[in-house]
Amino acid sequence: MTEEFDPKVYLQQGAWRDVRLGLHRTEELLERLGRPQDRLRIVHVAGTNGKGSTCAFTAGILQAAGYKVGLFTSPYVLRFNERIQVNREDISDEDLLAVALEVREAAEQMDEQPTAFELITAAALLHFAQVGCTAVVLEVGLGGRLDSTNVVVPEVCAITSIALDHTHVLGDTIAKIAHEKAGIIKAGIPVVSYRQKPEAEAVIMQRAREVGAPVSVPRFGRIHAHAEGLHQVFSYDGFTDVRLKLAGTYQPNNAVMAIEIARVLRGRGFEISDEAIKAGLEATVWQGRFEVVRDNPTVIVDGGHNEQGANVLAASLREYFPQGGVTFVMNVLRDKNYQAMIDATLPLAARYFCAEPPENERALHADELACAIRERELEFEGVHDYCVQRLQVQACPSIANAVEGAVEAAGPDGVVCCFGSLYAIADVMAALKSC
């Protein structure tokens, strides 16, 4: 009976542990659902860092231009429904139940059962088609070539910044990972690619040549940005004084990716004015990306969860708080390069409160993280201009305990930065409400 069916449990069965890359199950599932993807005009976005923000900016532009925009992202930050949005509104529980039931009925007819991500991908595409979305922004879940989202033929492909991540699945070099990301490039479909490292750029350009896909790369050198408070104002190639709600010195780059995506879409028949581009960028909000969530002390929540993410986080902190003295709440998965994440933030730190990402078998224990920080601290002695003795490192039993301790230790005039894993953001937000 439907009242006993929990769509959120069904669509998350096995979670990320159930990774079986391949497209055949998704293709069969969507075939049984009537091929909803064929009724959608899609922007397909892969990459390591900046995917979420680029997707959000692109969706904002399309919505400002008058389109009914579906947005599919992962993972969620506060609630599961965030992963499927229409005009930035989460799918309702009623619609989620209805679409999950349809997906389950189709999946039960298959000999090989789909994975969790394949189920949620199908549910998203089906919902977007049913409600009449006139544009869809689809974020790749893992990699690209064999990701379940790669069953679509989009209007444009976009590849954001590529770095080492998920190396156990995607490969242990930038070139190998770029090969997987470039797998979303399709014959004749335009590509917008971030300015990549040479080894990644070579792979992307080779793939594009093989299938006859035109590639454009944003001219980031034309960006002129400055901070106003904790936010960025930038000008770029005809756009003047674009005022982003998203903080972080890296956000103008993501916004420019969205500008170039919009320009490609114009060539595909989309009606998008410069006014809509600017309005869409300025209206965009995105949780957990250098998000200032509290004053007194200033509390920043950032989803930086790998080496590159920590580096851009540190660059933003250095821009806004050059004096350092940041109190970090850090939690991380053990398969990330957490040593490099520590190195990026250590010169800015006054103290660390270490915790574990909740309910994740890949979580690094808080005491292991604390030990790693102390070891790096000793190695940094004499290299960076701060007194090692003043750095405090504490392992905490929970995210809530770490957040509460950090807010108290920083004091009303301090700065707290919570980072390391997207999976912990909901717990961080909840903890902040009670302290």
Side-chain angles (χ1 to χ4, degrees):
M1 296 178 66
T2 58
E3 61 268 22
E4 299 173 352
F5 174 69
D6 186 333
K8 296 173 188 177
V9 172
Y10 175 71
L11 294 172
Q12 295 180 92
Q13 55 183 298
W16 289 100
R17 288 168 291 182
D18 185 20
V19 174
R20 289 179 285 136
L21 294 176
L23 304 181
H24 60 285
R25 290 178 300 271
T26 309
E27 288 170 341
E28 180 183 348
L29 180 57
L30 289 170
E31 191 74 35
R32 293 179 181 277
L33 291 167
R35 297 188 60 84
Q37 71 273 26
D38 292 347
R39 309 200 296 274
L40 300 170
R41 304 185 74 185
I42 294 169
V43 176
H44 197 197
V45 183
T48 307
N49 292 302
K51 289 201 307 290
S53 297
T54 300
C55 286
F57 281 131
T58 303
I61 289 170
L62 286 164
Q63 186 176 344
Y67 291 89
K68 187 173 186 177
V69 186
L71 176 62
F72 177 63
T73 59
S74 61
Y76 66 90
V77 175
L78 297 180
R79 61 193 296 259
F80 181 82
N81 303 53
E82 293 169 24
R83 297 183 63 178
I84 303 174
Q85 298 183 6
V86 175
N87 284 353
R88 295 311 306 271
E89 294 288 332
D90 298 350
I91 188 172
S92 68
D93 286 340
E94 294 76 16
D95 285 346
L96 185 63
L97 173 61
V99 76
L101 284 169
E102 289 190 61
V103 169
R104 183 180 67 166
E105 182 179 356
E108 286 178 344
Q109 300 171 36
M110 295 171 58
D111 292 334
E112 185 180 355
Q113 286 301 294
T115 68
F117 191 73
E118 291 162 356
L119 293 170
I120 185 62
T121 299
L125 292 169
L126 181 60
H127 178 68
F128 295 151
Q130 288 177 340
V131 301
C133 286
T134 52
V136 168
V137 181
L138 198 66
E139 181 186 358
V140 167
L142 180 64
R145 182 175 64 92
L146 297 176
D147 185 79
S148 63
T149 62
N150 203 28
V151 298
V152 305
V153 179
E155 300 291 331
V156 58
C157 299
I159 302 176
T160 67
S161 177
I162 293 175
L164 291 173
D165 204 7
H166 299 292
T167 53
H168 60 296
V169 177
L170 302 179
D172 58 1
T173 68
I174 293 291
K176 289 178 181 177
I177 291 175
H179 172 73
E180 296 301 322
K181 309 290 186 184
I184 71 168
I185 298 174
K186 296 178 176 65
I189 303 298
V191 180
V192 177
S193 177
Y194 200 88
R195 185 181 57 217
Q196 308 287 354
K197 295 178 180 178
E199 55 268 44
E201 181 180 349
V203 172
I204 291 168
M205 293 304 182
Q206 176 62 28
R207 167 65 180 172
R209 284 193 294 270
E210 288 172 354
V211 301
V215 181
S216 58
V217 178
R219 290 164 286 193
F220 293 125
R222 296 190 178 185
I223 298 175
H224 300 282
H226 66 274
E228 288 189 1
L230 287 174
H231 298 280
Q232 290 288 310
V233 180
F234 78 94
S235 299
Y236 170 79
D237 202 20
F239 293 91
T240 304
D241 291 335
V242 182
R243 300 175 183 275
L244 300 179
K245 291 183 178 178
L246 276 65
T249 55
Y250 52 88
Q251 289 298 357
N253 285 8
N254 295 329
V256 165
M257 280 288 292
I259 289 174
E260 296 301 341
I261 290 168
R263 285 172 165 170
V264 170
L265 289 173
R266 283 175 176 167
R268 307 281 291 184
F270 283 73
E271 296 184 6
I272 307 171
S273 66
D274 282 354
E275 291 75 18
I277 290 175
K278 185 174 182 181
L281 294 176
E282 292 187 333
T284 298
V285 294
W286 196 234
Q287 289 181 314
R289 276 70 175 182
F290 206 85
E291 183 180 7
V292 182
V293 298
R294 180 170 171 169
D295 298 316
N296 306 315
T298 299
V299 180
I300 296 161
V301 176
D302 188 81
H305 58 283
N306 54 31
E307 178 180 356
Q308 188 181 38
N311 283 331
V312 296
L313 166 63
S316 292
L317 290 170
R318 199 172 290 111
E319 170 80 16
Y320 296 123
F321 310 104
Q323 74 280 6
V326 178
T327 298
F328 287 101
V329 174
M330 185 175 180
N331 65 102
V332 70
L333 302 179
R334 66 171 57 252
D335 54 8
K336 303 297 181 180
N337 186 357
Y338 57 88
Q339 301 275 10
M341 296 169 70
I342 294 167
D343 289 353
T345 55
L346 194 59
L348 295 160
R351 56 188 71 86
Y352 286 86
F353 287 81
C354 304
E356 297 174 21
E359 300 178 4
N360 196 308
E361 63 183 11
R362 294 155 55 205
L364 182 70
H365 295 307
D367 54 354
E368 290 181 75
L369 177 58
C371 286
I373 292 170
R374 292 189 185 102
E375 288 175 3
R376 298 303 292 167
E377 174 189 11
L378 292 174
E379 293 174 16
F380 265 52
E381 187 173 7
V383 177
H384 292 277
D385 185 22
Y386 68 91
C387 177
V388 170
Q389 282 75 18
R390 73 173 177 83
L391 188 64
Q392 304 169 30
V393 183
Q394 182 174 332
C396 302
S398 67
I399 295 288
N401 181 269
V403 170
E404 291 164 7
V407 168
E408 181 178 356
D413 298 324
V415 179
V416 175
C417 179
C418 307
F419 84 109
S421 171
L422 285 165
Y423 295 102
I425 290 178
D427 284 30
V428 168
M429 297 296 198
L432 287 168
K433 290 179 179 179
S434 61
C435 69

